[in-house]
Every structure is written in structure tokens, then in C-alpha cells.
Short mmCIF file of all heavy atoms in Angstrom, two decimals:
data_model
loop_
_atom_site.label_atom_id
_atom_site.label_comp_id
_atom_site.label_asym_id
_atom_site.label_seq_id
_atom_site.Cartn_x
_atom_site.Cartn_y
_atom_site.Cartn_z
N MET X 2 114.20 99.07 111.41
CA MET X 2 114.92 98.06 110.68
C MET X 2 113.97 96.98 110.23
O MET X 2 112.90 96.83 110.78
CB MET X 2 116.00 97.45 111.58
CG MET X 2 117.18 98.35 111.79
SD MET X 2 118.57 97.42 112.38
CE MET X 2 118.57 97.97 114.07
N GLY X 3 114.43 96.24 109.26
CA GLY X 3 113.57 95.19 108.76
C GLY X 3 114.36 94.01 108.22
O GLY X 3 115.58 94.01 108.19
N VAL X 4 113.63 93.02 107.80
CA VAL X 4 114.21 91.81 107.24
C VAL X 4 113.43 91.50 105.97
O VAL X 4 112.21 91.60 105.94
CB VAL X 4 114.10 90.63 108.23
CG1 VAL X 4 114.59 89.35 107.59
CG2 VAL X 4 114.87 90.92 109.50
N HIS X 5 114.15 91.14 104.93
CA HIS X 5 113.48 90.75 103.69
C HIS X 5 114.09 89.45 103.21
O HIS X 5 115.31 89.32 103.16
CB HIS X 5 113.61 91.84 102.62
CG HIS X 5 112.60 91.71 101.56
ND1 HIS X 5 112.70 90.79 100.55
CD2 HIS X 5 111.43 92.33 101.37
CE1 HIS X 5 111.64 90.88 99.77
NE2 HIS X 5 110.85 91.81 100.25
N GLN X 6 113.25 88.47 102.86
CA GLN X 6 113.74 87.14 102.47
C GLN X 6 114.66 87.17 101.26
O GLN X 6 115.50 86.30 101.10
CB GLN X 6 112.56 86.22 102.18
CG GLN X 6 111.77 85.84 103.41
CD GLN X 6 110.68 84.85 103.09
OE1 GLN X 6 110.62 84.31 101.99
NE2 GLN X 6 109.82 84.60 104.05
N ASN X 7 114.52 88.17 100.42
CA ASN X 7 115.28 88.23 99.17
C ASN X 7 116.65 88.89 99.34
O ASN X 7 117.41 88.98 98.39
CB ASN X 7 114.46 88.99 98.12
CG ASN X 7 114.84 88.62 96.72
OD1 ASN X 7 115.40 87.58 96.47
ND2 ASN X 7 114.53 89.50 95.79
N ILE X 8 116.96 89.36 100.55
CA ILE X 8 118.21 90.07 100.77
C ILE X 8 118.92 89.48 101.98
O ILE X 8 118.34 89.37 103.05
CB ILE X 8 117.96 91.58 101.01
CG1 ILE X 8 117.29 92.19 99.79
CG2 ILE X 8 119.26 92.31 101.33
CD1 ILE X 8 116.84 93.62 99.97
N ASP X 9 120.18 89.09 101.78
CA ASP X 9 121.00 88.66 102.91
C ASP X 9 122.47 88.85 102.54
O ASP X 9 122.79 89.50 101.54
CB ASP X 9 120.68 87.23 103.35
CG ASP X 9 121.04 86.17 102.33
OD1 ASP X 9 121.88 86.42 101.45
OD2 ASP X 9 120.48 85.05 102.42
N TYR X 10 123.34 88.28 103.32
CA TYR X 10 124.78 88.46 103.15
C TYR X 10 125.25 88.03 101.76
O TYR X 10 126.12 88.66 101.17
CB TYR X 10 125.53 87.66 104.23
CG TYR X 10 127.02 87.84 104.18
CD1 TYR X 10 127.62 88.96 104.75
CD2 TYR X 10 127.83 86.91 103.56
CE1 TYR X 10 128.98 89.14 104.70
CE2 TYR X 10 129.20 87.07 103.51
CZ TYR X 10 129.78 88.19 104.09
OH TYR X 10 131.13 88.37 104.04
N GLU X 11 124.66 86.98 101.21
CA GLU X 11 125.12 86.41 99.94
C GLU X 11 124.20 86.65 98.77
O GLU X 11 124.53 86.25 97.65
CB GLU X 11 125.37 84.92 100.11
CG GLU X 11 126.50 84.62 101.07
CD GLU X 11 126.79 83.14 101.18
OE1 GLU X 11 126.17 82.35 100.46
OE2 GLU X 11 127.65 82.79 102.00
N LYS X 12 123.05 87.23 98.95
CA LYS X 12 122.15 87.44 97.80
C LYS X 12 121.49 88.81 97.87
O LYS X 12 121.34 89.40 98.94
CB LYS X 12 121.12 86.34 97.67
CG LYS X 12 120.09 86.27 98.77
CD LYS X 12 119.12 85.13 98.52
CE LYS X 12 118.11 85.09 99.65
NZ LYS X 12 117.12 84.05 99.45
N PHE X 13 121.10 89.27 96.70
CA PHE X 13 120.51 90.59 96.54
C PHE X 13 119.57 90.49 95.34
O PHE X 13 119.80 89.68 94.44
CB PHE X 13 121.63 91.61 96.27
CG PHE X 13 121.27 93.01 96.63
CD1 PHE X 13 121.17 93.41 97.95
CD2 PHE X 13 121.03 93.94 95.64
CE1 PHE X 13 120.85 94.72 98.29
CE2 PHE X 13 120.71 95.25 95.96
CZ PHE X 13 120.63 95.63 97.28
N PRO X 14 118.51 91.29 95.27
CA PRO X 14 117.61 91.21 94.13
C PRO X 14 118.35 91.49 92.81
O PRO X 14 119.29 92.29 92.77
CB PRO X 14 116.59 92.33 94.39
CG PRO X 14 116.66 92.59 95.85
CD PRO X 14 118.07 92.30 96.25
N GLU X 15 117.93 90.81 91.76
CA GLU X 15 118.50 91.08 90.44
C GLU X 15 118.27 92.56 90.10
O GLU X 15 117.21 93.10 90.38
CB GLU X 15 117.83 90.20 89.39
CG GLU X 15 118.41 90.38 88.02
CD GLU X 15 117.78 89.46 86.99
OE1 GLU X 15 117.04 88.53 87.37
OE2 GLU X 15 118.01 89.69 85.80
N GLN X 16 119.27 93.19 89.50
CA GLN X 16 119.19 94.61 89.20
C GLN X 16 118.77 94.85 87.75
O GLN X 16 119.10 94.07 86.86
CB GLN X 16 120.52 95.29 89.49
CG GLN X 16 120.90 95.22 90.96
CD GLN X 16 119.90 95.95 91.84
OE1 GLN X 16 119.81 97.17 91.80
NE2 GLN X 16 119.12 95.21 92.63
N GLY X 17 118.04 95.93 87.53
CA GLY X 17 117.47 96.23 86.23
C GLY X 17 118.34 97.10 85.35
O GLY X 17 119.48 97.44 85.70
N PRO X 18 117.79 97.52 84.24
CA PRO X 18 118.56 98.25 83.22
C PRO X 18 118.94 99.68 83.60
O PRO X 18 119.82 100.26 82.98
CB PRO X 18 117.62 98.25 82.02
CG PRO X 18 116.25 98.18 82.62
CD PRO X 18 116.41 97.30 83.83
N PHE X 19 118.32 100.25 84.63
CA PHE X 19 118.65 101.62 85.01
C PHE X 19 119.86 101.70 85.94
O PHE X 19 120.37 102.79 86.19
CB PHE X 19 117.46 102.31 85.69
CG PHE X 19 116.29 102.51 84.78
CD1 PHE X 19 115.02 102.18 85.20
CD2 PHE X 19 116.44 103.04 83.50
CE1 PHE X 19 113.92 102.38 84.37
CE2 PHE X 19 115.36 103.24 82.67
CZ PHE X 19 114.09 102.90 83.10
N LEU X 20 120.32 100.56 86.46
CA LEU X 20 121.44 100.56 87.40
C LEU X 20 122.66 101.26 86.80
O LEU X 20 123.05 100.98 85.66
CB LEU X 20 121.81 99.13 87.79
CG LEU X 20 122.91 99.00 88.84
CD1 LEU X 20 122.44 99.57 90.18
CD2 LEU X 20 123.31 97.55 89.01
N ASN X 21 123.23 102.19 87.55
CA ASN X 21 124.42 102.98 87.17
C ASN X 21 124.18 103.96 86.02
O ASN X 21 125.14 104.51 85.49
CB ASN X 21 125.61 102.07 86.85
CG ASN X 21 126.04 101.28 88.06
OD1 ASN X 21 126.08 101.80 89.17
ND2 ASN X 21 126.35 100.02 87.87
N LYS X 22 122.94 104.16 85.64
CA LYS X 22 122.63 105.13 84.57
C LYS X 22 122.51 106.53 85.16
O LYS X 22 122.00 106.72 86.25
CB LYS X 22 121.32 104.78 83.87
CG LYS X 22 121.30 103.45 83.19
CD LYS X 22 122.16 103.44 81.96
CE LYS X 22 121.98 102.10 81.26
NZ LYS X 22 122.89 101.87 80.22
N ARG X 23 122.96 107.51 84.40
CA ARG X 23 122.80 108.92 84.77
C ARG X 23 121.37 109.32 84.43
O ARG X 23 120.86 109.00 83.34
CB ARG X 23 123.80 109.77 84.01
CG ARG X 23 123.78 111.23 84.37
CD ARG X 23 125.01 111.92 83.77
NE ARG X 23 124.85 113.35 83.70
CZ ARG X 23 125.04 114.18 84.72
NH1 ARG X 23 125.38 113.69 85.89
NH2 ARG X 23 124.88 115.48 84.58
N VAL X 24 120.70 109.99 85.35
CA VAL X 24 119.31 110.37 85.16
C VAL X 24 119.09 111.84 85.49
O VAL X 24 119.86 112.45 86.22
CB VAL X 24 118.37 109.50 86.03
CG1 VAL X 24 118.34 108.07 85.55
CG2 VAL X 24 118.73 109.58 87.50
N LYS X 25 118.04 112.37 84.89
CA LYS X 25 117.57 113.73 85.18
C LYS X 25 116.33 113.57 86.05
O LYS X 25 115.43 112.80 85.72
CB LYS X 25 117.24 114.44 83.87
CG LYS X 25 116.87 115.87 84.03
CD LYS X 25 116.79 116.67 82.74
CE LYS X 25 116.35 115.95 81.52
NZ LYS X 25 116.13 116.81 80.37
N VAL X 26 116.29 114.29 87.17
CA VAL X 26 115.25 114.11 88.18
C VAL X 26 114.52 115.43 88.41
O VAL X 26 115.13 116.50 88.45
CB VAL X 26 115.87 113.65 89.51
CG1 VAL X 26 114.81 113.54 90.59
CG2 VAL X 26 116.60 112.33 89.33
N CYS X 27 113.18 115.35 88.55
CA CYS X 27 112.41 116.52 88.97
C CYS X 27 111.40 116.06 90.02
O CYS X 27 111.16 114.87 90.19
CB CYS X 27 111.73 117.21 87.80
SG CYS X 27 110.37 116.31 87.05
N PHE X 28 110.84 117.02 90.72
CA PHE X 28 109.85 116.75 91.75
C PHE X 28 108.57 117.50 91.41
O PHE X 28 108.62 118.61 90.90
CB PHE X 28 110.36 117.20 93.12
CG PHE X 28 111.63 116.49 93.54
CD1 PHE X 28 112.87 117.03 93.24
CD2 PHE X 28 111.56 115.28 94.19
CE1 PHE X 28 114.04 116.37 93.62
CE2 PHE X 28 112.72 114.61 94.56
CZ PHE X 28 113.96 115.16 94.28
N HIS X 29 107.42 116.88 91.68
CA HIS X 29 106.10 117.49 91.44
C HIS X 29 105.94 117.92 89.98
O HIS X 29 105.30 118.94 89.70
CB HIS X 29 105.87 118.68 92.38
CG HIS X 29 106.03 118.32 93.83
ND1 HIS X 29 105.09 117.60 94.51
CD2 HIS X 29 107.03 118.57 94.70
CE1 HIS X 29 105.49 117.42 95.75
NE2 HIS X 29 106.67 118.00 95.89
N TYR X 30 106.57 117.19 89.07
CA TYR X 30 106.47 117.43 87.62
C TYR X 30 106.98 118.81 87.22
O TYR X 30 106.61 119.32 86.16
CB TYR X 30 105.02 117.22 87.14
CG TYR X 30 104.53 115.83 87.42
CD1 TYR X 30 103.76 115.55 88.54
CD2 TYR X 30 104.87 114.77 86.58
CE1 TYR X 30 103.33 114.26 88.82
CE2 TYR X 30 104.44 113.48 86.85
CZ TYR X 30 103.67 113.23 87.96
OH TYR X 30 103.25 111.95 88.23
N GLU X 31 107.83 119.41 88.03
CA GLU X 31 108.41 120.72 87.71
C GLU X 31 109.63 120.50 86.82
O GLU X 31 110.78 120.54 87.27
CB GLU X 31 108.79 121.47 88.99
CG GLU X 31 107.61 121.84 89.84
CD GLU X 31 108.01 122.52 91.15
OE1 GLU X 31 109.21 122.65 91.44
OE2 GLU X 31 107.09 122.94 91.87
N THR X 32 109.38 120.31 85.53
CA THR X 32 110.45 119.97 84.59
C THR X 32 111.40 121.12 84.30
O THR X 32 112.44 120.91 83.66
CB THR X 32 109.86 119.44 83.27
OG1 THR X 32 108.98 120.43 82.73
CG2 THR X 32 109.10 118.15 83.49
N ASP X 33 111.07 122.31 84.75
CA ASP X 33 111.99 123.44 84.58
C ASP X 33 112.99 123.51 85.74
O ASP X 33 113.91 124.34 85.71
CB ASP X 33 111.22 124.76 84.46
CG ASP X 33 110.32 125.03 85.66
OD1 ASP X 33 109.80 124.06 86.26
OD2 ASP X 33 110.14 126.21 86.01
N ARG X 34 112.84 122.65 86.74
CA ARG X 34 113.76 122.59 87.88
C ARG X 34 114.23 121.15 88.02
O ARG X 34 113.52 120.33 88.59
CB ARG X 34 113.05 123.04 89.16
CG ARG X 34 112.54 124.47 89.08
CD ARG X 34 111.85 124.88 90.34
NE ARG X 34 112.86 124.94 91.41
CZ ARG X 34 112.57 125.14 92.68
NH1 ARG X 34 111.32 125.27 93.06
NH2 ARG X 34 113.53 125.19 93.58
N VAL X 35 115.39 120.84 87.46
CA VAL X 35 115.87 119.46 87.45
C VAL X 35 117.20 119.33 88.19
O VAL X 35 117.96 120.29 88.32
CB VAL X 35 116.02 118.90 86.02
CG1 VAL X 35 114.69 118.89 85.30
CG2 VAL X 35 117.05 119.68 85.24
N LEU X 36 117.44 118.14 88.66
CA LEU X 36 118.71 117.74 89.25
C LEU X 36 119.20 116.52 88.49
O LEU X 36 118.41 115.82 87.86
CB LEU X 36 118.52 117.37 90.73
CG LEU X 36 118.07 118.48 91.66
CD1 LEU X 36 117.60 117.88 92.98
CD2 LEU X 36 119.21 119.44 91.89
N PHE X 37 120.48 116.25 88.58
CA PHE X 37 121.03 115.06 87.95
C PHE X 37 121.50 114.10 89.02
O PHE X 37 121.84 114.49 90.14
CB PHE X 37 122.19 115.44 87.02
CG PHE X 37 121.74 116.17 85.81
CD1 PHE X 37 121.67 117.55 85.80
CD2 PHE X 37 121.35 115.49 84.67
CE1 PHE X 37 121.23 118.24 84.69
CE2 PHE X 37 120.91 116.16 83.55
CZ PHE X 37 120.85 117.54 83.56
N GLY X 38 121.49 112.82 88.68
CA GLY X 38 121.92 111.81 89.62
C GLY X 38 122.24 110.51 88.92
O GLY X 38 122.21 110.42 87.69
N THR X 39 122.51 109.49 89.72
CA THR X 39 122.84 108.15 89.22
C THR X 39 122.00 107.13 89.95
O THR X 39 121.87 107.19 91.18
CB THR X 39 124.33 107.84 89.47
OG1 THR X 39 125.12 108.85 88.84
CG2 THR X 39 124.72 106.49 88.90
N VAL X 40 121.44 106.19 89.21
CA VAL X 40 120.65 105.12 89.82
C VAL X 40 121.62 104.15 90.50
O VAL X 40 122.51 103.60 89.84
CB VAL X 40 119.78 104.39 88.78
CG1 VAL X 40 119.05 103.22 89.41
CG2 VAL X 40 118.79 105.36 88.14
N VAL X 41 121.48 103.97 91.81
CA VAL X 41 122.38 103.10 92.56
C VAL X 41 121.71 101.78 92.95
O VAL X 41 122.38 100.88 93.46
CB VAL X 41 122.95 103.81 93.81
CG1 VAL X 41 123.85 104.96 93.40
CG2 VAL X 41 121.85 104.27 94.74
N ARG X 42 120.42 101.67 92.71
CA ARG X 42 119.71 100.41 92.96
C ARG X 42 118.46 100.39 92.10
O ARG X 42 117.74 101.37 92.02
CB ARG X 42 119.35 100.31 94.44
CG ARG X 42 118.67 99.01 94.79
CD ARG X 42 118.60 98.83 96.27
NE ARG X 42 117.72 97.71 96.59
CZ ARG X 42 117.51 97.27 97.82
NH1 ARG X 42 118.10 97.86 98.83
NH2 ARG X 42 116.70 96.27 98.03
N ASP X 43 118.22 99.26 91.43
CA ASP X 43 117.08 99.11 90.53
C ASP X 43 116.59 97.66 90.58
O ASP X 43 116.87 96.87 89.69
CB ASP X 43 117.49 99.52 89.11
CG ASP X 43 116.34 99.51 88.14
OD1 ASP X 43 115.19 99.72 88.57
OD2 ASP X 43 116.58 99.29 86.93
N ASP X 44 115.87 97.32 91.64
CA ASP X 44 115.44 95.93 91.86
C ASP X 44 114.43 95.46 90.82
O ASP X 44 113.43 96.13 90.56
CB ASP X 44 114.77 95.79 93.23
CG ASP X 44 115.69 96.07 94.39
OD1 ASP X 44 116.90 96.23 94.17
OD2 ASP X 44 115.18 96.11 95.53
N LEU X 45 114.69 94.26 90.28
CA LEU X 45 113.72 93.60 89.41
C LEU X 45 112.86 92.61 90.19
O LEU X 45 111.87 92.10 89.68
CB LEU X 45 114.43 92.87 88.27
CG LEU X 45 115.06 93.76 87.20
CD1 LEU X 45 115.72 92.89 86.13
CD2 LEU X 45 114.03 94.67 86.57
N ASP X 46 113.29 92.31 91.40
CA ASP X 46 112.57 91.41 92.30
C ASP X 46 112.22 92.16 93.57
O ASP X 46 112.67 93.28 93.78
CB ASP X 46 113.45 90.20 92.65
CG ASP X 46 113.85 89.39 91.43
OD1 ASP X 46 112.99 89.16 90.56
OD2 ASP X 46 115.03 88.98 91.35
N GLU X 47 111.46 91.51 94.45
CA GLU X 47 111.11 92.14 95.72
C GLU X 47 112.37 92.58 96.44
O GLU X 47 113.37 91.87 96.39
CB GLU X 47 110.33 91.15 96.58
CG GLU X 47 108.94 90.91 96.06
CD GLU X 47 108.14 90.06 97.04
OE1 GLU X 47 108.37 90.16 98.27
OE2 GLU X 47 107.29 89.31 96.58
N PRO X 48 112.38 93.73 97.06
CA PRO X 48 111.29 94.64 97.38
C PRO X 48 111.03 95.71 96.31
O PRO X 48 110.36 96.70 96.59
CB PRO X 48 111.75 95.28 98.67
CG PRO X 48 113.22 95.31 98.59
CD PRO X 48 113.58 94.07 97.82
N TYR X 49 111.54 95.53 95.09
CA TYR X 49 111.27 96.45 93.97
C TYR X 49 111.61 97.89 94.31
O TYR X 49 110.82 98.80 94.12
CB TYR X 49 109.81 96.36 93.52
CG TYR X 49 109.41 94.98 93.10
CD1 TYR X 49 108.59 94.20 93.91
CD2 TYR X 49 109.86 94.44 91.90
CE1 TYR X 49 108.22 92.92 93.53
CE2 TYR X 49 109.50 93.16 91.52
CZ TYR X 49 108.67 92.41 92.34
OH TYR X 49 108.32 91.14 91.96
N LEU X 50 112.82 98.12 94.78
CA LEU X 50 113.26 99.44 95.20
C LEU X 50 114.20 100.03 94.16
O LEU X 50 115.12 99.36 93.68
CB LEU X 50 113.97 99.33 96.55
CG LEU X 50 114.43 100.61 97.21
CD1 LEU X 50 113.25 101.53 97.50
CD2 LEU X 50 115.16 100.29 98.50
N THR X 51 113.96 101.28 93.79
CA THR X 51 114.87 102.02 92.92
C THR X 51 115.33 103.25 93.69
O THR X 51 114.50 104.03 94.16
CB THR X 51 114.19 102.44 91.60
OG1 THR X 51 113.79 101.25 90.90
CG2 THR X 51 115.12 103.25 90.73
N LEU X 52 116.64 103.39 93.82
CA LEU X 52 117.23 104.51 94.54
C LEU X 52 118.10 105.32 93.60
O LEU X 52 118.86 104.76 92.79
CB LEU X 52 118.09 104.02 95.71
CG LEU X 52 117.37 103.26 96.81
CD1 LEU X 52 118.38 102.75 97.83
CD2 LEU X 52 116.34 104.14 97.49
N ILE X 53 118.00 106.64 93.73
CA ILE X 53 118.79 107.56 92.90
C ILE X 53 119.64 108.42 93.82
O ILE X 53 119.13 109.06 94.74
CB ILE X 53 117.86 108.45 92.06
CG1 ILE X 53 116.96 107.59 91.17
CG2 ILE X 53 118.68 109.44 91.24
CD1 ILE X 53 115.82 108.34 90.53
N HIS X 54 120.94 108.42 93.56
CA HIS X 54 121.88 109.27 94.31
C HIS X 54 122.04 110.57 93.54
O HIS X 54 122.63 110.58 92.46
CB HIS X 54 123.22 108.55 94.48
CG HIS X 54 124.18 109.29 95.32
ND1 HIS X 54 125.51 109.37 95.02
CD2 HIS X 54 124.02 109.98 96.48
CE1 HIS X 54 126.12 110.08 95.94
NE2 HIS X 54 125.24 110.46 96.83
N LEU X 55 121.50 111.65 94.09
CA LEU X 55 121.56 112.95 93.42
C LEU X 55 122.95 113.55 93.56
O LEU X 55 123.68 113.26 94.51
CB LEU X 55 120.52 113.89 94.01
CG LEU X 55 119.06 113.43 93.89
CD1 LEU X 55 118.15 114.40 94.62
CD2 LEU X 55 118.65 113.28 92.44
N GLU X 56 123.32 114.42 92.62
CA GLU X 56 124.64 115.06 92.65
C GLU X 56 124.85 115.92 93.88
O GLU X 56 125.98 116.16 94.28
CB GLU X 56 124.86 115.88 91.39
CG GLU X 56 125.07 115.03 90.16
CD GLU X 56 125.31 115.85 88.91
OE1 GLU X 56 124.97 117.05 88.88
OE2 GLU X 56 125.85 115.27 87.95
N ASP X 57 123.76 116.37 94.52
CA ASP X 57 123.92 117.19 95.73
C ASP X 57 124.06 116.33 96.99
O ASP X 57 124.09 116.84 98.10
CB ASP X 57 122.77 118.20 95.87
CG ASP X 57 121.41 117.56 96.12
OD1 ASP X 57 121.34 116.32 96.30
OD2 ASP X 57 120.41 118.30 96.12
N GLY X 58 124.13 115.01 96.82
CA GLY X 58 124.37 114.12 97.94
C GLY X 58 123.15 113.41 98.49
O GLY X 58 123.27 112.43 99.21
N ARG X 59 121.96 113.91 98.18
CA ARG X 59 120.74 113.27 98.68
C ARG X 59 120.47 111.98 97.92
O ARG X 59 120.93 111.79 96.80
CB ARG X 59 119.53 114.20 98.52
CG ARG X 59 119.62 115.42 99.40
CD ARG X 59 118.40 116.29 99.25
NE ARG X 59 118.42 116.96 97.94
CZ ARG X 59 117.40 117.63 97.45
NH1 ARG X 59 116.27 117.74 98.10
NH2 ARG X 59 117.51 118.22 96.26
N ILE X 60 119.72 111.09 98.55
CA ILE X 60 119.27 109.85 97.91
C ILE X 60 117.76 109.83 97.97
O ILE X 60 117.17 110.04 99.04
CB ILE X 60 119.87 108.62 98.60
CG1 ILE X 60 121.40 108.63 98.45
CG2 ILE X 60 119.28 107.34 98.02
CD1 ILE X 60 122.10 107.53 99.19
N VAL X 61 117.11 109.58 96.82
CA VAL X 61 115.65 109.56 96.76
C VAL X 61 115.18 108.25 96.14
O VAL X 61 115.90 107.62 95.37
CB VAL X 61 115.08 110.76 95.97
CG1 VAL X 61 115.38 112.06 96.66
CG2 VAL X 61 115.61 110.78 94.54
N GLU X 62 113.97 107.87 96.48
CA GLU X 62 113.32 106.71 95.85
C GLU X 62 112.61 107.17 94.59
O GLU X 62 112.21 108.33 94.48
CB GLU X 62 112.30 106.09 96.80
CG GLU X 62 112.89 105.48 98.03
CD GLU X 62 111.84 104.82 98.90
OE1 GLU X 62 110.77 104.42 98.37
OE2 GLU X 62 112.07 104.71 100.10
N ASP X 63 112.42 106.25 93.67
CA ASP X 63 111.71 106.60 92.43
C ASP X 63 110.27 107.01 92.68
O ASP X 63 109.68 107.73 91.91
CB ASP X 63 111.78 105.46 91.41
CG ASP X 63 111.07 104.20 91.87
OD1 ASP X 63 110.89 104.01 93.09
OD2 ASP X 63 110.69 103.39 91.00
N SER X 64 109.70 106.58 93.81
CA SER X 64 108.33 106.95 94.14
C SER X 64 108.21 108.39 94.64
O SER X 64 107.11 108.92 94.77
CB SER X 64 107.77 106.00 95.21
OG SER X 64 108.52 106.09 96.40
N GLU X 65 109.34 109.05 94.90
CA GLU X 65 109.34 110.41 95.42
C GLU X 65 109.60 111.45 94.33
O GLU X 65 109.59 112.66 94.61
CB GLU X 65 110.44 110.56 96.48
CG GLU X 65 110.27 109.63 97.65
CD GLU X 65 111.45 109.64 98.57
OE1 GLU X 65 112.61 109.72 98.12
OE2 GLU X 65 111.21 109.53 99.79
N CYS X 66 109.84 111.01 93.09
CA CYS X 66 110.23 111.95 92.05
C CYS X 66 109.84 111.39 90.67
O CYS X 66 109.29 110.32 90.57
CB CYS X 66 111.75 112.19 92.09
SG CYS X 66 112.72 110.69 91.76
N GLN X 67 110.16 112.16 89.65
CA GLN X 67 110.05 111.70 88.29
C GLN X 67 111.45 111.75 87.70
O GLN X 67 112.22 112.67 88.00
CB GLN X 67 109.12 112.60 87.44
CG GLN X 67 107.69 112.64 87.94
CD GLN X 67 107.50 113.52 89.16
OE1 GLN X 67 107.93 114.67 89.20
NE2 GLN X 67 106.88 112.96 90.19
N PHE X 68 111.81 110.74 86.89
CA PHE X 68 113.16 110.72 86.33
C PHE X 68 113.18 110.09 84.94
O PHE X 68 112.26 109.35 84.59
CB PHE X 68 114.13 109.97 87.25
CG PHE X 68 113.98 108.49 87.26
CD1 PHE X 68 114.79 107.69 86.45
CD2 PHE X 68 113.05 107.85 88.06
CE1 PHE X 68 114.68 106.31 86.46
CE2 PHE X 68 112.93 106.48 88.08
CZ PHE X 68 113.75 105.71 87.27
N ASN X 69 114.20 110.44 84.19
CA ASN X 69 114.45 109.78 82.91
C ASN X 69 115.94 109.70 82.66
O ASN X 69 116.72 110.52 83.15
CB ASN X 69 113.68 110.41 81.74
CG ASN X 69 114.10 111.83 81.48
OD1 ASN X 69 114.60 112.52 82.35
ND2 ASN X 69 113.89 112.28 80.28
N VAL X 70 116.34 108.71 81.92
CA VAL X 70 117.76 108.48 81.62
C VAL X 70 118.24 109.57 80.69
O VAL X 70 117.57 109.95 79.73
CB VAL X 70 117.96 107.09 80.98
CG1 VAL X 70 119.41 106.89 80.58
CG2 VAL X 70 117.52 106.01 81.95
N VAL X 71 119.43 110.10 80.99
CA VAL X 71 120.02 111.16 80.17
C VAL X 71 120.68 110.54 78.96
O VAL X 71 121.36 109.55 79.05
CB VAL X 71 121.06 111.96 80.99
CG1 VAL X 71 121.75 113.00 80.12
CG2 VAL X 71 120.40 112.62 82.17
#
């Protein structure tokens, strides 16, 4: 567990333009094997986290995959 100054009960980092967008995701640049998902977090401030909820139920960080908006 951790604590971040920018996140508490009443505040959260400002969210970016990818929030709630449908995206196409691949891993290891294998563009012939894609999954679809939705961006559920897109921080513009610290901790700069982008999370994608894949249609198969998994959640991945943008640093673990490649993605683009559909």
C-alpha cells in the first residue's frame, strides 16, 4: 500500500483526454493480436497513471502494452 499527496478522499489527479475512450491494445508490438478495452484512468498529474480495463476483465497499465484510440 502507499500514500500519494495528490490523492485522497476529496481529490484525485485531473484526468486526460483518453478517459472513457475505447482503445485497441496489443502486447510486445504484436499488432496482429489485439484486445479491446476502455481507459478507466488517465492522470494528467502525479502519479501519471493510465489504466485500461480490457474486455476480458484484466486491467493493465499503459506501460505494459501499446494502445490507440478506436
Side-chain angles (χ1 to χ4, degrees):
M2 286 198 253
V4 175
H5 200 282
Q6 290 184 9
N7 204 21
I8 300 173
D9 66 22
Y10 183 81
E11 295 183 4
K12 67 180 180 178
F13 204 73
E15 183 178 349
Q16 297 297 291
F19 294 133
L20 184 66
N21 297 319
K22 299 289 186 190
R23 184 168 161 81
V24 292
K25 185 169 32 172
V26 177
C27 70
F28 299 92
H29 305 286
Y30 301 97
E31 294 177 356
T32 57
D33 58 328
R34 300 180 67 187
V35 299
L36 296 166
F37 290 91
T39 303
V40 176
V41 294
R42 183 167 169 177
D43 185 28
D44 296 352
L45 289 180
D46 299 318
E47 288 187 31
Y49 302 107
L50 184 61
T51 298
L52 296 176
I53 302 168
H54 185 221
L55 299 175
E56 288 181 340
D57 66 6
R59 294 182 288 170
I60 297 175
V61 295
E62 294 183 25
D63 64 337
S64 62
E65 300 171 322
C66 63
Q67 298 77 50
F68 74 96
N69 63 336
V70 176
V71 176

